[in-house]
């Protein structure tokens, strides 16, 4: 039986909702203030294939079923640099929910 996968876009939106819910407990007040002030015009949610660093952080077999996971970056885009507030690994498998977040260090 094959897995029921949500779309990459749906997984990214779900990751962003989780980010918004957990950010107050994981980011500094300054980071939250800057993010909230600029997210409308400079905010980004960037999804892509999980990078290699996840293997060191979680029991994650990227080679086994890479299409079951998506990496989502949440941040602000400035002229000189991007500020990433969270790097999120989220499952697209609707029957096996999973999410892990690496938060910006202050």
């Amino acid at each position: 039986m094959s897995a029921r996968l949500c779309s990459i876009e749906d997984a990214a939106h779900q990751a962003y909702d989780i980010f918004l819910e957990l950010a107050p407990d994981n980011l500094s007040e300054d980071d939250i203030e800057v993010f909230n002030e600029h997210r409308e015009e400079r905010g980004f949610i960037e999804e892509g294939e999980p990078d290699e660093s996840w293997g060191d952080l979680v029991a994650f077999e990227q080679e086994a079923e890479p299409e079951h996971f998506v990496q989502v970056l949440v941040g602000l885009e400035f002229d000189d640099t991007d500020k990433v507030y969270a790097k999120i690994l989220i499952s697209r498998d609707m029957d096996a929910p999973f999410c892990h977040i690496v938060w910006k260090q202050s």
Side-chain angles (χ1 to χ4, degrees):
M1 185 168 138
S2 63
R4 297 181 315 129
L5 300 181
C6 67
S7 71
I8 291 173
E9 185 177 276
D10 285 348
H13 286 296
Q14 185 179 12
Y16 185 66
D17 289 343
I18 294 168
F19 166 82
L20 292 177
E21 181 181 330
L22 299 179
D25 296 329
N26 292 281
L27 296 174
S28 71
E29 286 184 31
D30 288 341
D31 283 336
I32 291 171
E33 190 174 307
V34 169
F35 182 79
N36 286 335
E37 182 179 336
H38 297 287
R39 71 179 177 175
E40 291 298 321
E41 64 275 0
R42 298 186 182 272
F44 67 84
I45 304 169
E46 179 182 307
E47 66 270 331
E49 290 184 19
D51 66 30
E52 308 249 333
S53 69
W54 290 111
D56 297 334
L57 299 171
V58 294
F60 170 60
E61 295 291 332
Q62 184 171 357
E63 295 81 24
E65 297 173 320
E67 70 278 0
H68 286 218
F69 295 90
V70 64
Q71 174 178 289
V72 180
L73 303 179
V74 178
L76 297 174
E77 187 174 10
F78 293 101
D79 293 337
D80 53 346
T81 186
D82 291 346
K83 185 180 279 193
V84 175
Y85 288 91
K87 182 170 90 167
I88 304 165
L89 180 67
I90 191 163
S91 173
R92 294 177 55 209
D93 186 337
M94 295 189 291
D95 299 315
F98 172 86
C99 181
H100 188 85
I101 303 174
V102 176
W103 295 96
K104 174 187 176 293
Q105 301 299 306
S106 296

